[in-house]
Amino acid sequence: MWVSAEYLLWWARGMGVPALVTSSPAGTPRENVGVLGAPGTTVLFGDEKLHDGTRSGFRLRVGGWLDDCRTCGIEASYFFLGESNEDFSASGGLIARPFYNIVNARQDSQLINVPGQDSQLINFPGVVSGTISVESSNCFNGFDVNFRKNLKCDCCGRTDFLLGFRYLKLQDDLTIREDLLVTGTDPNSTLLPGTRFQLFDTFDTRNEFYGPQFGLTGEMRRGSAFVNWRGLIAFGTTHKDVTINGATTITQPNGAAATYPGGLLALPTNIGRYSKNDFSVVPELNLNAGYQVTDNLRAFVGYSFIYWSNVTRVGDIIDTTINPTQLPPGTLVGPARPAFSWHDSDFWAHGVSFGAELRY
């Protein structure tokens, strides 16, 4: 039998997200604050890839031979890549959330050259005082079980055939929260100073792969040094779950409060849970080099690469085109946006590992 444990230092493919929080310099006209394409607008969060840095993890592998000649065996492995978190918050200055207004596409070219771009104010002195935060996380893990059959063996090494089952899980989430207080009067609004808005948008994706796999593994030895390798490819189904939710609580100056479905990018037209299954391919490659420390203990360093086709990430499902007539407590009039639609991408992770194996 054998058991090995590895420390993983891996890089994973990040997910792209649109511009979610913007700012403008002091003196910017109110109607231009945070509007994408307007003079001076800068992106504070978004328009980038999230969760694409290094992170730590571990992998455990156990196995055993079923006969004295070590020609047939069974093994299993589990790996976990540590959760990646990215948090952001902002307050003060001129802050907004950009979106594309499908109803009132603005045409004033003296102010902006991108008709339809609009924004929701988060903080603007004399009008609204507020804070915004964004939280996002990602996790990746999986396991496999394989039957192992020897194809070739000599004094310098061996080659085995692998046939088994693989499971993978990839999960992303992103939540945006606002806490706004109306501080001034607006001739275009009936909101009273002291009205408070607390709202959130949340997006969650979960991908789970199930399928058979096959491949080869082998090892070459010279003295106490060894090199081993493993190549596998799995074919199967990726089950995808997407959850979109949002809500707004409006508290009047007299203390009366009401909660409505929808925030800003998560509104009644796209809120819900969606599921589907897609065919996916998952190849994996592992290379290790090590040293036999004792008769039963060996240490090694390695490199691993794993690829997963047809997954859905949070950044793929955020629709920044909205119909503001349905912003709480409004009722939809006109095009039903934001809308949910499936957009698939690929995922990969790779990196180095440091491990030890005990055989007995």
Side-chain angles (χ1 to χ4, degrees), residues 141-268:
N141 64 291
F143 71 85
D144 67 349
V145 179
N146 297 296
F147 173 75
R148 186 166 176 168
K149 172 65 177 177
N150 180 247
L151 300 178
K152 179 183 177 182
C153 184
D154 56 38
C155 60
C156 295
R158 63 182 294 142
T159 301
D160 297 336
F161 174 74
L162 298 172
L163 178 65
F165 171 83
R166 176 179 287 281
Y167 168 82
L168 295 174
K169 183 175 77 171
L170 173 67
Q171 188 164 359
D172 297 307
D173 64 71
L174 186 144
T175 300
I176 308 170
R177 300 184 187 276
E178 298 180 37
D179 192 345
L180 313 178
L181 183 67
V182 177
T183 59
T185 58
D186 185 341
N188 299 317
S189 174
T190 59
L191 295 175
L192 297 175
T195 304
R196 187 180 185 186
F197 288 78
Q198 296 170 291
L199 61 94
F200 73 88
D201 297 325
T202 183
F203 303 87
D204 181 272
T205 60
R206 182 186 179 115
N207 300 270
E208 293 181 288
F209 174 85
Y210 308 85
Q213 67 177 2
F214 65 92
L216 296 173
T217 182
E219 179 172 293
M220 294 180 292
R221 298 183 296 271
R222 176 164 293 185
S224 296
F226 66 89
V227 174
N228 59 39
W229 53 273
R230 174 185 299 261
L232 290 160
I233 186 166
F235 302 89
T237 297
T238 295
H239 177 73
K240 307 173 185 182
D241 280 317
V242 172
T243 303
I244 301 175
N245 196 15
T248 298
T249 298
I250 303 176
T251 305
Q252 303 295 338
N254 63 6
T259 299
Y260 305 89
L264 177 66
L265 299 179
L267 291 169

Side-chain angles (χ1 to χ4, degrees), residues 283-296:
E284 180 186 11
L285 176 66
N286 297 300
L287 299 171
N288 295 316
Y291 188 81
Q292 193 78 37
V293 180
T294 69
D295 289 342
N296 302 104

Side-chain angles (χ1 to χ4, degrees), residues 97-174:
R97 290 180 65 182
F99 63 90
Y100 185 89
N101 187 333
I102 198 171
V103 175
N104 299 315
R106 298 163 55 186
Q107 303 291 336
D108 191 343
S109 61
Q110 289 186 337
L111 295 177
I112 59 175
N113 296 314
V114 279
Q117 294 293 345
D118 209 335
S119 68
Q120 178 197 64
L121 292 178
I122 302 298
N123 199 84
F124 191 94
V127 177
V128 62
S129 174
T131 61
I132 184 169
S133 65
V134 185
E135 301 172 352
S136 180
S137 67
N138 164 270
C139 63
F140 178 47
N141 64 291
F143 71 85
D144 67 349
V145 179
N146 297 296
F147 173 75
R148 186 166 176 168
K149 172 65 177 177
N150 180 247
L151 300 178
K152 179 183 177 182
C153 184
D154 56 38
C155 60
C156 295
R158 63 182 294 142
T159 301
D160 297 336
F161 174 74
L162 298 172
L163 178 65
F165 171 83
R166 176 179 287 281
Y167 168 82
L168 295 174
K169 183 175 77 171
L170 173 67
Q171 188 164 359
D172 297 307
D173 64 71
L174 186 144

